[in-house]
Amino acid sequence: LKKAPIEVRLIKSADILDNLRCAADVPWWAWTPLARKKFPRWHREFHVAAAFAKEVHPALHSKVQKALRVFDFKRMARGMVWFGR
């Protein structure tokens, strides 16, 4: 993707941002064992995606970073709720 045209990289970065925002909004009660297993992988992939977005456009990178912080915070808060039952 790094050698793709700028339009393709912008679309991919926007798709990553959308995926990140959607993943942050997965309700804790919908966390199936499979979803709980996928969250660490998603987290790693989102950090790689943030680096990719940085190369594409600074404003998009800023939005991805903010969405990543929200994802991390919500994941941590939901983990506390999950373990605190």
Side-chain angles (χ1 to χ4, degrees):
L1 278 175
K2 289 186 178 187
K3 294 182 180 182
I6 188 68
E7 294 86 1
V8 172
R9 291 184 290 152
L10 282 169
I11 290 169
K12 183 60 179 171
S13 295
D15 181 47
I16 290 166
L17 179 59
D18 181 59
N19 292 345
L20 183 52
R21 287 175 175 166
C22 291
D25 289 334
V26 173
W28 67 270
W29 48 263
W31 285 11
T32 62
L34 180 62
R36 278 195 298 275
K37 197 182 294 185
K38 286 184 178 184
F39 268 97
R41 184 190 61 149
W42 291 349
H43 188 260
R44 286 190 309 273
E45 289 175 358
F46 289 145
H47 279 283
V48 171
F52 175 75
K54 186 176 186 177
E55 296 173 10
V56 175
H57 198 280
L60 198 53
H61 175 253
S62 174
K63 289 182 182 204
V64 169
Q65 286 293 101
K66 181 180 177 187
L68 189 55
R69 284 192 298 273
V70 169
F71 175 81
D72 286 340
F73 177 77
K74 285 183 176 182
R75 185 168 170 251
M76 180 185 65
R78 289 183 182 131
M80 289 180 193
V81 168
W82 182 263
F83 292 122
R85 315 204 262 159

